[in-house]
Amino acid sequence: MNLPVYTYVLFVISFGFGVAAIVFSILLDKTKKDLKERDELAKRRIYEISMLKAIQDRISYSLNIEHIIDTITSSLKNLIPYSTVSSIVLENEKLVFK
């Protein structure tokens, strides 16, 4: 069966477009995934920065070191998971563990 040459050319062009569509689809999926990961990371960083700003606002007007330490330790759970927190404060030339 002899088909005209343009039929083969059209087949090759169509096949090329099909392969290109598949490749671009894969690249698009990868790009969407990367953008989603970046968006989640950016949201996490914004949250962490806002928490640090809130801590700063709460302690910036206090000179009471115990109040500052309590504020920081109680706010840390919003940033990182932990089970125990301790602090050491120098009072009257003695170390006080809390």
Side-chain angles (χ1 to χ4, degrees), residues 13-27:
I13 291 172
S14 297
F15 183 77
F17 278 122
V19 169
I22 292 170
V23 169
F24 285 128
S25 175
I26 292 169
L27 291 174

Side-chain angles (χ1 to χ4, degrees), residues 3-65:
L3 295 174
V5 173
Y6 67 88
T7 304
Y8 293 112
V9 171
L10 288 176
F11 173 75
V12 170
I13 291 172
S14 297
F15 183 77
F17 278 122
V19 169
I22 292 170
V23 169
F24 285 128
S25 175
I26 292 169
L27 291 174
L28 179 64
D29 288 344
K30 184 180 180 327
T31 303
K32 284 181 181 179
K33 182 181 174 186
D34 290 345
L35 285 174
K36 183 178 178 184
E37 289 173 0
R38 286 182 184 180
D39 184 50
E40 290 171 359
L41 180 61
K43 286 179 182 177
R44 176 67 186 175
R45 287 183 177 167
I46 289 170
Y47 174 75
E48 290 171 352
I49 291 169
S50 67
M51 290 305 305
L52 291 172
K53 173 74 168 102
I55 293 169
Q56 175 192 356
D57 290 344
R58 282 186 254 153
I59 66 173
S60 62
Y61 298 107
S62 177
L63 295 177
N64 182 343
I65 192 69

